[in-house]
Amino acid sequence: MSISVAALGKIMWVLGIVAWYVIRYPFERRAKRVRVVSSQRSHVENFGLASALLGLAVIPGCYVASGIPEVADHPAHLWAVVVGATIFAIALWVFRRTHKELGRNWSITLEIRDKHELVSGGPYAFVRHPMYTSFMLMGLGQAFLLSNWVGALAGLLGFSILFFLRVDKEERMMVEIFGSQYRDYMARTKRLVPYLY
Ligand code: SAH
């Protein structure tokens, strides 16, 4: 049996998404048990979450299942699948590290939990938003794995919408709660990419 390079890219993406969910699921369950003391969930935030979900999961999922939109297909290359799978694997590793480090402080949205602690170790020593770095890397991996412009680029675009709608608010919320402790932390870290941004 032989499969096409395009199909191989799709298979790798599906495996990546399944692994993503296997990593996240236990944290989601545990987080439900920790009380939320303040929430900044809003329509804008919900729109951002929907964009990220559409771009990273729904649109590429539909493409993988149906091949639509076929007009946006482009030639698949083995090197691109290898690069995409490598970036996706790194993304998953960072994703898992950030969940372990955030522990009970994790939320899908902008929330402060009971006895919230400022995390600044592990991946958080390098950047303030390593989980968002991992989502950007997932989007980049997707861009290399899927040989269709729409399926490929939806992830980076969808997650960027969530990121730019959220990041200022998230940092303001952290400053409100942690004051100079978070300001000092901001002074010594970048947002997404160590030393750059
Ligand atoms: N922006 C972070 C966390 C994403 S989860 C990252 O990309 O890694 C979102 C929640 O994490 C927010 O609601 C906030 O309450 C919490 N959070 C963000 N940064 C944090 C930090 N350094 N320490 C503890 N909690 C943090």
Side-chain angles (χ1 to χ4, degrees), residues 27-181:
F27 288 93
E28 228 169 83
R29 273 194 50 176
R30 247 173 278 153
K32 282 204 191 104
R33 291 199 287 263
V34 187
R35 203 164 58 90
V36 172
V37 291
S38 89
S39 173
Q40 300 202 5
R41 194 151 188 166
S42 63
H43 291 308
V44 176
E45 171 70 11
N46 285 342
F47 173 76
L49 278 167
S51 306
L53 184 68
L54 269 174
L56 287 166
V58 178
I59 292 174
C62 288
Y63 161 69
V64 166
S66 70
I68 295 172
E70 228 171 284
V71 287
D73 276 349
H74 62 71
H77 301 283
L78 189 58
W79 67 262
V81 172
V82 172
V83 169
T86 307
I87 295 175
F88 214 115
I90 294 169
L92 290 172
W93 178 72
V94 176
F95 186 68
R96 186 159 176 276
R97 290 281 288 121
T98 58
H99 275 73
K100 291 213 136 183
E101 203 67 36
L102 265 188
R104 62 190 295 293
N105 301 301
W106 174 79
S107 271
I108 194 164
T109 185
L110 294 182
E111 289 174 342
I112 294 296
R113 295 203 176 257
D114 193 25
K115 301 194 187 75
H116 205 110
E117 280 170 22
L118 178 63
V119 173
S120 59
Y124 289 86
F126 298 97
V127 284
R128 298 198 283 287
H129 305 290
M131 192 181 294
Y132 301 160
T133 305
S134 78
F135 278 107
M136 289 289 189
L137 288 171
M138 267 178 65
L140 193 63
Q142 174 183 333
F144 279 99
L145 286 175
L146 303 181
S147 50
N148 176 284
W149 293 114
V150 174
L153 298 178
L156 279 176
L157 184 70
F159 185 74
S160 295
I161 293 173
L162 174 64
F163 177 78
F164 287 108
L165 287 177
R166 181 189 269 189
V167 71
D168 286 322
K169 279 193 210 139
E170 178 165 339
E171 293 187 344
R172 238 177 289 137
M173 177 184 87
M174 296 302 284
V175 167
E176 263 168 41
I177 305 293
F178 295 102
S180 60
Q181 209 190 337

Side-chain angles (χ1 to χ4, degrees), residues 123 126-127 133 189-197:
F126 298 97
V127 284
T133 305
T189 49
K190 297 281 185 189
R191 277 178 164 167
L192 285 183
V193 187
Y195 308 109
L196 286 179
Y197 169 79

